């Protein structure tokens, strides 16, 4: 049980703005004979809930967009908003990408995407990624 909870935690951290690599932990646990289905569930749930943290940060941070310390210039914020409106919520299916995926979840919060829609799309993308890693690991191990 500790292995699955650890993978959940690592996957959770990997989905936030903190750099972490849950795939390495997943493959390592697969190699030691842990149940692939429970690993998939732990990693998918942890990574999806970690993305919710980014969504909440984006949503909360937007309240301070006119403050001097706001991390984005208003012009940058409008550019991000225009990009997001162009590609829409379906871009959240790409939230699993190592480069830019976490930013998508943060921007989704800033764009006030409904949490239910956010969680479904992010969960699908991230769950498919972990399923692919497990399938490929089965071929390698």
């Amino acid at each position: 049980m500790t292995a699955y909870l650890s993978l959940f935690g690592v996957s959770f951290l990997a989905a936030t703005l903190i750099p972490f690599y849950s795939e390495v932990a997943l493959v390592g646990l697969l190699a030691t004979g842990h149940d692939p289905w429970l690993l998939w569930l732990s990693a998918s749930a942890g990574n999806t809930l970690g993305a919710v943290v980014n969504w909440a940060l984006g949503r909360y941070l937007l309240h301070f967009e006119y403050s001097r310390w706001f991390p984005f210039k208003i012009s940058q914020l409008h550019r991000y908003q225009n990009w997001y409106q162009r590609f829409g919520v379906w871009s959240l299916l790409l939230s699993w990408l190592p480069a830019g995926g976490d930013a998508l979840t943060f921007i989704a919060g800033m764009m006030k995407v409904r949490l239910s829609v956010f969680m479904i799309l992010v969960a699908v993308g991230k769950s498919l990624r972990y399923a692919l890693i497990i399938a490929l690991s089965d071929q390698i191990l």
Side-chain angles (χ1 to χ4, degrees):
M1 186 60 135
T2 305
Y4 303 110
L5 289 174
S6 297
L7 181 60
F8 177 90
V10 167
S11 299
F12 182 93
L13 288 175
T16 64
L17 299 175
I18 300 169
F20 235 79
Y21 299 99
S22 58
E23 299 84 3
V24 174
L26 174 61
V27 172
L29 291 170
L30 282 168
T32 59
H34 287 81
D35 182 357
W37 288 106
L38 288 177
L39 291 173
W40 173 79
L41 185 61
S42 298
S44 298
N47 213 243
T48 300
L49 291 176
V52 172
V53 170
N54 290 345
W55 176 89
L57 286 171
R59 184 87 182 227
Y60 176 74
L61 198 59
L62 195 57
H63 294 286
F64 301 101
E65 68 182 303
Y66 296 107
S67 299
R68 268 189 304 156
W69 57 266
F70 191 70
F72 303 104
K73 294 178 182 171
I74 298 300
S75 61
Q76 285 177 312
L77 185 59
H78 292 303
R79 190 177 67 209
Y80 296 147
Q81 289 171 333
N82 288 338
W83 180 89
Y84 196 81
Q85 287 173 349
R86 181 176 174 200
F87 295 102
V89 295
W90 295 107
S91 64
L92 289 171
L93 290 170
L94 300 175
S95 64
W96 61 269
L97 290 171
D102 295 338
L104 280 173
T105 60
F106 183 79
I107 293 168
M110 292 175 66
M111 296 300 296
K112 300 180 181 176
V113 172
R114 281 195 346 241
L115 183 58
S116 59
V117 171
F118 173 86
M119 286 189 70
I120 290 168
L121 292 173
V122 168
V124 166
K126 290 178 178 285
S127 296
L128 288 174
R129 174 190 62 186
Y130 286 119
L132 181 62
I133 291 169
I134 290 169
L136 290 175
S137 295
D138 189 41
Q139 299 298 319
I140 296 169
L141 303 174

